[in-house]
Amino acid sequence: RQRPLAAKGIEGVEVHAVQPAGKGEVWMRGLLIGPSVYVLTAWNNDGGLFDDPETMDFFASFRVIE
């Protein structure tokens, strides 16, 4: 699953992917902020990543400090 992201001065993409022959999951977020690119990644070999509160907190906690 892929979706675009956009906010004030930020553009990017978010990807949720699953292992084809297993339970593994990866959550990636790529952000373009001015001239900088940020890539945030989390993975779990056992699944359940997209509903994990700690993973959600990780992605929600990202801030660019100028």
Side-chain angles (χ1 to χ4, degrees):
R1 186 172 80 203
Q2 178 177 318
R3 70 181 182 106
L5 300 172
K8 296 178 187 175
I10 300 173
E11 290 195 37
V13 64
E14 183 164 87
V15 176
H16 289 184
V18 296
Q19 185 179 7
K23 298 186 291 183
E25 297 174 337
V26 64
W27 181 345
M28 297 177 66
R29 185 176 287 176
L31 302 170
L32 177 60
I33 303 171
S36 300
V37 175
Y38 300 89
V39 179
L40 291 79
T41 306
W43 65 92
N44 187 322
N45 289 329
D46 298 323
L49 181 69
F50 310 128
D51 297 320
D52 179 46
E54 288 183 13
T55 304
M56 291 179 198
D57 288 347
F58 164 71
F59 283 98
S61 71
F62 178 76
R63 301 285 184 272
V64 174
I65 300 172
E66 297 181 26

